[in-house]
Amino acid sequence: MSELRVRFAPSPTGYLHVGGARTALFNWLLAKNKGGTFILRIEDTDVERSTKESVDAILEGMKWLGLDWDEGPVYQSDSFPLYKEYVQKLLDAGKAYKCYCTSEELDAKRNLAMQEGRKPKYDGTCRDRGDHPDGQPYVVRFRAPQGGVTAFDDLIKGVITFPNEELDDLIIQRTDGTPTYNFCVVIDDATMRITTVIRGDDHVNNTPRQIQLYEALGFPVPQFAHVPMILGSDKARLSKRHGATSVIAYRDMGFLPEALLNYLVRLGWSNGDDEIFSRDEMIQKFDIHNVGRSASVFNTEKLLWLNAHYIKNGDPERLAGLLLPHLSSREVTTLGGPDLMAVVKTLQERAQTLVEMADRAVFYYNAPDSYDDAALAKFDKEQVLAVFEVVTEKLSSAPIDAVVVVDALFKEICTEKGWKMGQVGQPVRIALSGGTQAPGIGEIVVTLGIKETLKRISSAREYVTAK
Ligand code: GLU
């Protein structure tokens, strides 16, 4: 068998959708698994709808996910002369013909067919026409086989058969001389020697037309794998209505690329009951035959769960780098504050997203400008002041460079004074972070450092005294 060659062929009419990203991922995985070649092709022949911004957004999404391509990006718009050449070949071989029917004529025929309860189909008026009216606009139609069937054995869906009589003589070139979508796809896939076409199953109906073109042009027909759609929770096709659908939106919401990839690979594909797949494991285990036949429902909760897993187990230095833009967008500067990597270590256990982590990291860099009064009110004022005093005294006189040391110190205070841990820890946590949603007290103290810790307790003391 020849070397495996696959492609991802987005139309640049919007951002990279999670559904597109999953199609790209399956292509990429198959190529990596089989030592094949993954090509990125931008299908920009629809000049009206294609934009440079969209190309950039697609490339940005692919790069963020780490879906690196081996060839391309190839732009279809660079191949117009090639398409023309192949249209001419089909015309010369009598496998395509010029059709002079006007759109009014075609509309009238279509309406009549519908009125009579027939399926509208081009009636072949120009199929065997001998004359070529000069100067009259024409389209080029493919002379499609009339009888029999066109069938293919889809790697995901199994054998799919279409009766040829249901397929029109496809227009392959418009009156303005531009080639049409299905024709370009075939010429590209054939000349790029694509061996396996993996794409969304919204393209299933295009496949028999494309196969007929391959056969007419004498090209080998590739294998096809049509991936079922992704649905929203209401079982309608996933769209903006259901929430974010753009890959980059997930980046901005604080998801890690490996979490989104892991989520997407499991959306429709399985390997036993395994849920967690590193990039290498996915590559090793991916088998297109294990992609399910039915559509999958997008589940944000599961994505969050995976993201939390990857944050928890992530390298703190890398996470710190990824967290920085989220802090900058909150106008938080880490300069002069605690080491961001140390901060990450105190937060990665519990954060589901980098956005959540950034929210929780703010207090390390900006001392609280208000306190959670409701939480403070749970304690007696004199008791809180006594806690602040004792804690200040203890912390000032001991080296506090390790979390265990600080934790031990707090335990000691409790034993000496007969206080409960909550009575001591909670007011101090409020003093240091403004609220109660914060890491363990030892972690905060060590990360903030003794000087900043004492300064914050002193401010909180003034605040409580004045109340
Ligand atoms: N450009 C098509 C799309 O974005 C994909 C065509 C194909 O993969 O054959 O849906």
Side-chain angles (χ1 to χ4, degrees):
M1 212 182 110
S2 57
E3 184 220 358
L4 178 113
R5 288 172 66 83
V6 291
R7 81 319 189 255
F8 174 52
S11 306
T13 54
Y15 49 71
L16 180 61
H17 186 278
V18 287
R22 187 185 54 160
T23 303
L25 173 62
F26 286 178
N27 274 288
W28 181 85
L29 285 172
L30 189 66
K32 295 273 175 210
N33 176 277
K34 299 256 188 272
T37 304
F38 175 50
I39 302 161
L40 177 61
R41 181 171 80 220
I42 305 291
E43 303 211 314
D44 60 347
T45 45
D46 186 343
V47 191
E48 299 274 296
R49 295 178 61 222
S50 304
T51 65
K52 166 88 171 66
E53 290 72 44
S54 170
V55 173
D56 292 343
I58 290 168
L59 298 185
E60 190 186 4
M62 298 276 290
K63 283 181 191 155
W64 179 67
L65 287 172
L67 299 177
D68 48 339
W69 50 92
D70 305 302
E71 289 179 21
V74 178
Y75 292 84
Q76 272 191 330
S77 55
D78 290 337
S79 295
F80 280 117
L82 183 76
Y83 307 135
K84 269 232 134 54
E85 196 184 300
Y86 280 101
V87 168
Q88 195 55 50
K89 272 192 186 164
L90 285 178
L91 280 171
D92 292 346
K95 293 177 178 173
Y97 60 90
K98 294 178 180 174
C99 168
Y100 298 87
C101 296
T102 63
S103 43
E104 291 77 25
E105 284 164 359
L106 294 172
D107 284 348
K109 284 177 185 170
R110 189 175 305 118
N111 290 339
L112 186 66
M114 303 229 290
Q115 271 166 27
E116 292 174 356
R118 286 181 287 121
K119 216 173 151 188
K121 188 186 163 190
Y122 180 62
D123 65 355
T125 303
C126 296
R127 227 175 192 257
D128 301 307
R129 157 172 202 161
D131 63 325
H132 291 288
D134 256 359
Q136 209 165 298
Y138 62 85
V139 298
V140 177
R141 283 186 190 269
F142 173 60
R143 195 185 296 276
Q146 304 265 279
V149 296
T150 300
F152 59 100
D153 192 357
D154 192 277
L155 293 172
I156 296 171
K157 295 179 179 277
V159 175
I160 304 182
T161 307
F162 291 84
N164 286 340
E165 63 175 6
E166 282 184 14
L167 303 170
D168 260 343
D169 279 358
L170 184 76
I171 295 175
I172 56 174
Q173 182 178 292
R174 302 184 187 89
T175 44
D176 64 2
T178 57
T180 57
Y181 171 73
N182 276 301
F183 186 72
C184 299
V185 173
V186 169
I187 301 305
D188 282 339
D189 285 338
T191 53
M192 291 175 179
R193 293 173 287 114
I194 300 300
T195 54
T196 311
V197 171
I198 304 176
R199 60 186 171 203
D201 70 0
D202 47 338
H203 289 283
V204 164
N205 288 336
N206 288 328
T207 306
R209 301 176 186 286
Q210 294 182 4
I211 290 175
Q212 291 179 348
L213 287 168
Y214 279 102
E215 285 169 347
L217 289 158
F219 290 131
V221 180
Q223 287 191 298
F224 293 93
H226 287 95
V227 183
M229 293 286 105
I230 301 179
L231 309 178
S233 48
D234 57 357
K235 305 284 162 74
R237 195 171 162 175
L238 187 71
S239 72
K240 277 190 194 151
R241 218 160 35 80
H242 300 103
T245 53
S246 131
V247 164
I248 290 302
Y250 281 92
R251 178 196 67 188
D252 297 344
M253 289 189 294
F255 287 87
L256 299 178
E258 59 270 37
L260 188 56
L261 278 187
N262 194 150
Y263 180 70
L264 290 177
V265 81
R266 282 285 294 108
L267 203 55
W269 174 79
S270 58
N271 182 72
D273 292 331
D274 298 352
E275 287 295 354
I276 307 285
F277 295 90
S278 69
R279 223 169 247 274
D280 285 345
E281 283 164 347
M282 287 181 203
I283 291 173
Q284 243 176 48
K285 296 181 175 156
F286 187 74
D287 181 345
I288 192 84
H289 295 97
N290 292 344
V291 174
R293 287 187 183 192
S294 46
S296 333
V297 175
F298 197 86
N299 178 347
T300 311
E301 285 304 310
K302 187 170 169 197
L303 174 57
L304 275 169
W305 173 77
L306 280 165
N307 205 47
H309 166 85
Y310 283 102
I311 287 181
K312 195 166 158 177
N313 297 289
D315 168 36
E317 190 176 353
R318 172 171 169 254
L319 291 176
L322 296 174
L323 190 63
L324 259 184
H326 293 282
L327 287 173
S328 308
S329 67
R330 284 164 180 69
E331 289 175 11
V332 172
T333 161
T334 56
L335 271 178
D339 173 34
L340 188 54
M341 222 163 94
V343 166
V344 165
K345 283 185 192 162
T346 71
L347 299 170
Q348 67 186 121
E349 193 67 31
R350 279 176 289 258
Q352 283 194 303
T353 66
L354 292 173
V355 164
E356 210 174 278
M357 194 186 257
D359 287 338
R360 292 183 186 173
V362 171
F363 84 86
Y364 280 112
Y365 300 98
N366 299 346
D369 50 14
S370 66
Y371 299 96
D372 182 342
D373 284 326
L376 271 176
K378 292 196 181 125
F379 305 96
D380 177 62
K381 176 174 169 175
E382 296 311 316
Q383 159 76 20
V384 169
L385 289 173
V387 164
F388 287 165
E389 193 180 329
V390 175
V391 168
T392 303
E393 215 178 274
K394 280 271 183 195
L395 287 179
S396 319
S397 55
I400 54 142
D401 46 6
V403 175
V404 278
V405 175
V406 179
D407 286 344
L409 214 75
F410 273 79
K411 276 203 193 96
E412 207 176 288
I413 294 174
C414 290
T415 321
E416 279 174 19
K417 297 284 174 186
W419 292 335
K420 291 202 183 72
M421 194 42 131
Q423 277 178 301
V424 184
Q426 203 68 323
V428 175
R429 186 178 276 114
I430 297 168
L432 299 181
S433 73
T436 54
Q437 285 286 349
I441 203 78
E443 287 180 301
I444 307 178
V445 171
V446 170
T447 311
L448 278 178
I450 185 68
K451 214 171 123 209
E452 182 66 17
T453 299
L454 294 178
K455 202 166 124 196
R456 290 190 186 188
I457 294 179
S458 159
S459 305
R461 213 167 147 180
E462 277 170 36
Y463 175 78
V464 174
T465 309
K467 265 175 82 87

